[in-house]
Amino acid sequence: MLRSLYIEGNTPFHRLPVRVKLITLMTASIALFFVSSLQILVPTFVTTLCLYLALGLPWREAFGRIGWIAFAIAIVALATWYFNGLHEALALTFRLMALVLLAAAITATTTISAFMDEITVMLQPLERLGLMRAADVSLALGLVLRFVPEILDRYENIREAHRARGLPIRPLTLFVPLIILTLKDADTIAMAIDARGFRRQ
Amino acid sequence: MAIQFTDSSVRFGQKTALHPLSLTLAERRIGIIGLNGSGKTTFARLINGLVKPTEGRVTVNGLDTVADDRAVLGEAGFIFQNPQHQLIMPIVREDIAFGLKNRGLTNAEIAAKTNAVLARFSVSHLAGRRVHELSGGETQLVAIASVVVTGPKILILDEPTNQLDLKNRRLVAATIDGLEQQVLVISHDLGLVDGFERVLLFHEGQLIADGQADDTIRRYHEVAGC
Ligand SMILES: Nc1ncnc2c1ncn2[C@@H]1O[C@H](COP(=O)(O)OP(=O)(O)OP(=O)(O)O)[C@@H](O)[C@H]1O
Ligand SMILES: [Mg+2]
């Protein structure tokens, strides 16, 4: 389910500007791609691991968040070992895990609104070209994160209503009410955005 | 300084939601009551310009809701009938900050104002919570905070105690009592508006009573037939 992965905290990594974090991630992704020396990859991995674990996530949650990706990387690594040998497999594992941990650390220390602000800034050039309104794009992102769980809840409710009335669950009777209810809400939400003064000057 | 209706009416297509009315609202506490579909929400939305008068005009502290619509939105804050709809960012703190964006404030100023308003309404502990998971009472308080933080002079609350338990009703009533703004409350909870200076009664799109709380409430019982 879609949810905010942000973790409250005030570590130095929390305070780092979003832009610095995103540029670091981008640079690291490109740079590590060219590196296959374990003497560099292992320390990089250990550094990102320490960074991630220092954020104060409970152990369970910390491993839960990267579990599936680690599992996928393990499978790829096994295949690489079989086809390209152990060194390649280890290099790939440490490289990808370092990037995953860095990305996870950024997600956990950056609020959605900080991301939104950054997106607004990054899209400024496009706005100046008259192609889009940057604030609208970041608003849209926020709205998706806010209302997807709501829509999923509603889907559940409609399904339960079907079950309670002993009706067979058909796409038509499930999605039509879902869409109508969602559109009705969308109207009110649009009004609320106006009421709260987000309209551009 | 007041809210002024001049022959204002609202039609949605063929349907008249609000018949023409003229009145001035200057009291600090105003209640709005009436049966479902009687036009209460429509009347209240006229005030901050979310609904425009089909005929006539509405002014708020001298600002016209059609000509000066943006200024009016800043003047009159609205808390919706379903406050979940007006909380538009995923996390409580981000939602409060949302209302402060595009106002030329620095991030530090936004954070300070956000923290202050959360503390004022005793909901600081909710700052990091997901909006989607708030209880009814929490949603209502956060919605009030999210509007108050932008500094409106008038607050309109549409059925603020709807769906709240007894304890939260008391809490929200006390919170409303403590607001320094001019406050208009739409409510089916007659106890909430009972002590107000002025109460309006709508019936089938018409303002049929306007005056002291107990007189208007008595009239309401008559038209409701119970
Ligand atoms: N956007 C709209 N389009 C069409 N008709 C509308 C619209 N908004 C309201 N109405 C109609 O106008 C009438 C008054 O509605 P309004 O929402 O003002 O009533 P209300 O007194 O707030 O009712 P409730 O107590 O149920 O909230 C109703 O008959 C309603 O169906
Ligand atoms: Mg209503």
Side-chain angles (χ1 to χ4, degrees):
Chain A
M1 187 136 119
L2 206 52
R3 62 201 183 97
S4 173
L5 295 170
Y6 178 71
I7 297 296
E8 289 282 326
N10 198 22
T11 66
F13 204 63
H14 274 88
R15 292 193 300 266
L16 216 57
V18 190
R19 193 166 321 169
V20 174
K21 293 189 226 183
L22 291 177
I23 291 176
T24 309
L25 181 62
M26 206 171 77
T27 319
S29 317
I30 297 170
L32 289 186
F33 187 75
F34 292 105
V35 176
S36 56
S37 149
L38 288 180
Q39 270 128 338
I40 298 178
L41 290 175
V42 174
T44 311
F45 166 75
V46 173
T47 311
T48 52
L49 184 65
C50 293
L51 175 69
Y52 182 59
L53 293 180
L55 299 177
L57 278 166
W59 289 91
R60 255 182 107 84
E61 162 105 42
F63 287 106
R65 285 183 176 202
I66 52 171
W68 280 105
I69 295 193
F71 180 68
I73 292 176
I75 291 176
V76 177
L78 281 177
T80 312
W81 187 8
Y82 183 76
F83 290 110
N84 298 335
L86 183 61
H87 181 272
E88 278 289 302
L90 287 176
L92 173 134
T93 308
F94 287 119
R95 181 190 297 132
L96 290 182
M97 281 309 294
L99 292 177
V100 166
L101 289 166
L102 184 60
I106 293 176
T107 324
T109 57
T110 313
T111 61
I112 288 155
S113 55
F115 269 126
M116 284 171 56
D117 290 348
E118 196 52 42
I119 288 172
T120 312
V121 173
M122 289 187 322
L123 293 177
Q124 285 300 328
L126 293 180
E127 172 154 335
R128 245 169 267 133
L129 291 176
L131 291 177
M132 58 167 60
R133 293 194 175 108
D136 285 358
V137 176
S138 69
L139 172 64
L141 178 75
L143 284 173
V144 168
L145 291 170
R146 163 73 181 84
F147 286 105
V148 163
E150 208 95 359
I151 293 170
L152 291 178
D153 268 9
R154 175 157 296 162
Y155 171 82
E156 269 310 309
N157 287 343
I158 297 175
R159 255 175 45 140
E160 269 167 23
H162 276 69
R163 218 173 290 139
R165 298 168 62 183
L167 296 171
I169 293 172
R170 288 206 213 88
L172 189 70
T173 54
L174 200 59
F175 286 109
V176 170
L178 186 66
I179 291 169
I180 290 174
L181 288 173
T182 305
L183 287 178
K184 258 180 92 175
D185 284 357
D187 248 10
T188 327
I189 293 161
M191 218 182 225
I193 293 172
D194 273 356
R196 294 187 56 190
F198 195 75
R199 270 199 300 188
R200 278 162 310 280
Q201 308 309 309
Chain B
M1 287 294 147
I3 304 162
Q4 196 136 22
F5 293 79
T6 316
D7 296 320
S8 328
S9 68
V10 177
R11 273 194 307 274
F12 294 113
Q14 292 295 309
K15 184 179 168 59
T16 304
L18 202 64
H19 292 278
L21 54 79
S22 299
L23 77 162
T24 304
L25 303 173
E27 290 76 7
R28 263 191 85 243
R29 292 291 181 265
I30 297 168
I32 300 168
I33 59 176
L35 301 174
N36 291 130
S38 56
K40 304 181 297 295
T41 297
T42 306
F43 174 76
R45 283 183 172 168
L46 274 175
I47 297 172
N48 73 338
L50 287 179
V51 168
K52 308 288 188 217
T54 312
E55 270 152 16
R57 61 193 297 243
V58 179
T59 60
V60 175
N61 294 344
L63 299 162
D64 188 284
T65 61
V66 176
D68 314 307
D69 56 345
R70 212 147 359 231
V72 167
L73 285 171
E75 200 80 2
F78 200 102
I79 287 115
F80 282 64
Q81 199 157 352
N82 179 352
Q84 273 278 338
H85 285 153
Q86 80 185 87
L87 302 179
I88 18 204
M89 286 294 120
I91 305 291
V92 169
R93 176 186 298 113
E94 297 177 353
D95 186 79
I96 307 271
F98 173 82
L100 298 169
K101 295 249 165 92
N102 303 346
R103 285 166 190 254
L105 297 172
T106 67
N107 283 344
E109 285 166 337
I110 291 182
K113 275 178 182 270
T114 301
N115 290 336
V117 82
L118 288 172
R120 173 175 167 194
F121 291 104
S122 313
V123 287
S124 297
H125 60 289
L126 300 177
R129 290 271 298 277
R130 299 174 57 202
V131 165
H132 175 61
E133 292 169 354
L134 298 177
S135 76
E138 292 168 344
T139 305
Q140 195 65 49
L141 291 177
V142 170
I144 294 175
S146 75
V147 172
V148 167
V149 75
T150 64
K153 298 197 191 71
I154 300 167
L155 280 178
I156 305 157
L157 298 101
D158 198 347
E159 300 188 26
T161 57
N162 196 6
Q163 299 190 354
L164 297 188
D165 65 24
L166 189 57
K167 195 157 157 258
N168 276 316
R169 272 175 196 232
R170 291 265 160 81
L171 179 62
V172 168
T175 304
I176 293 172
D177 204 43
L179 295 168
E180 65 276 16
Q181 283 89 349
Q182 181 182 21
V183 175
L184 286 91
V185 179
I186 301 177
S187 191
H188 295 298
D189 176 0
L190 299 178
L192 184 63
V193 298
D194 204 2
F196 284 10
E197 296 162 68
R198 181 172 177 186
V199 178
L200 313 179
L201 171 64
F202 284 89
H203 189 64
E204 294 172 356
Q206 242 153 356
L207 177 65
I208 60 163
D210 174 3
Q212 302 258 315
D214 41 0
D215 293 339
T216 310
I217 291 173
R218 198 171 317 119
R219 189 74 215 285
Y220 184 35
H221 283 287
E222 283 167 25
V223 295
C226 59

